[in-house]
Amino acid sequence: MRGVRRGDRDAAGGGGEVSGGTRFIADRMLGTLTRYLRFMGYDTLSANSLEPGNTREDTALLAIARDEGRILLTRDRELARRGGDRAVLLESEEVMEQVRALSRLGLIRPDIVMDRCSLCNTLLRPATDTEIEDADYVPGERAGLVFFVCPACRKVYWMGSHGKNLRASLRRNLGSP
């Protein structure tokens, strides 16, 4: 498949079937994709959470993928080669093409579910009235909106225009639900 090289899909679980349980770790070149995957509900770690400047970072990413049963997403050919059937090489720089490639491989189902923090990957929980009031960036008109909060970093989320725009972009570019 152009733009993507993938070893044995069965090693990732699902044998090419969509699996919400698929877990990823992404290299530093895939920050935007990492956020998209989190918005789609996928447990996605980022190399950006590792200490920068570690000359053995690739080895650390491979170990995390192996030890935690994650699929390594990378734009680095050598790292993908070293990762074998636990790695996916994404050749495109465009996030929608990256999402399309993962969808074609059956690794994701592209839809916005917003149940993970896009910043730290923690599962969201319903927000309390106090948490909503304390966030100065929530909309003044809240009728019909459901709010969630990240218990780790305290960011408040809701399906507002940003989430709707992401969902529309996925539909437009990928024909997803």
Side-chain angles (χ1 to χ4, degrees), residues 18 45 54 59 64 92 101 107 165:
V18 175
L45 298 181
N54 179 356
T59 301
I64 292 167
S92 177
L107 295 174
N165 289 340

Side-chain angles (χ1 to χ4, degrees), residues 152-167:
C153 70
R154 315 303 297 164
K155 181 170 171 59
V156 176
Y157 290 88
W158 64 96
M159 185 58 88
S161 60
H162 182 65
K164 290 174 185 173
N165 289 340
L166 286 173
R167 184 173 277 156

Side-chain angles (χ1 to χ4, degrees), residues 4-26:
V4 178
R5 293 206 172 81
R6 172 83 176 116
D8 179 7
R9 278 188 229 168
D10 291 331
E17 294 175 14
V18 175
S19 171
T22 304
R23 297 165 12 132
F24 301 102
I25 184 164

Side-chain angles (χ1 to χ4, degrees), residues 18-156:
V18 175
S19 171
T22 304
R23 297 165 12 132
F24 301 102
I25 184 164
D27 72 14
R28 290 183 188 274
M29 294 181 273
L30 297 170
T32 301
L33 177 63
T34 296
R35 287 187 300 280
Y36 267 75
L37 290 170
R38 289 173 178 172
F39 278 130
M40 288 184 254
Y42 291 94
D43 180 347
T44 307
L45 298 181
S46 172
N48 291 329
S49 65
L50 301 176
E51 186 173 328
N54 179 356
T55 58
R56 300 196 40 87
E57 182 171 286
D58 288 357
T59 301
L61 291 173
L62 292 167
I64 292 167
R66 180 192 65 239
D67 295 347
E68 297 184 14
R70 293 177 181 275
I71 296 171
L72 174 62
L73 304 175
T74 184
R75 295 209 52 242
D76 180 323
R77 287 183 187 282
E78 176 59 20
L79 181 55
R81 186 196 63 73
R82 288 177 59 200
D85 64 357
R86 300 290 323 161
V88 175
L89 175 64
L90 296 167
E91 293 181 308
S92 177
E93 292 181 21
E94 298 297 321
V95 71
M96 281 300 156
E97 187 56 40
Q98 295 165 354
V99 170
R100 183 178 291 111
L102 293 175
S103 179
R104 284 181 186 150
L105 288 171
L107 295 174
I108 64 168
R109 181 174 182 266
D111 191 19
I112 303 300
V113 296
M114 292 189 37
D115 64 355
R116 286 194 171 273
C117 180
S118 65
L119 302 177
C120 72
N121 197 42
T122 302
L123 284 171
L124 303 178
R125 65 163 173 73
T128 66
D129 290 340
T130 302
E131 289 167 328
I132 296 166
E133 293 296 325
D134 288 348
D136 58 0
Y137 53 88
V138 299
E141 178 55 49
R142 299 178 188 146
L145 297 176
V146 178
F147 293 87
F148 300 91
V149 68
C150 173
C153 70
R154 315 303 297 164
K155 181 170 171 59
V156 176

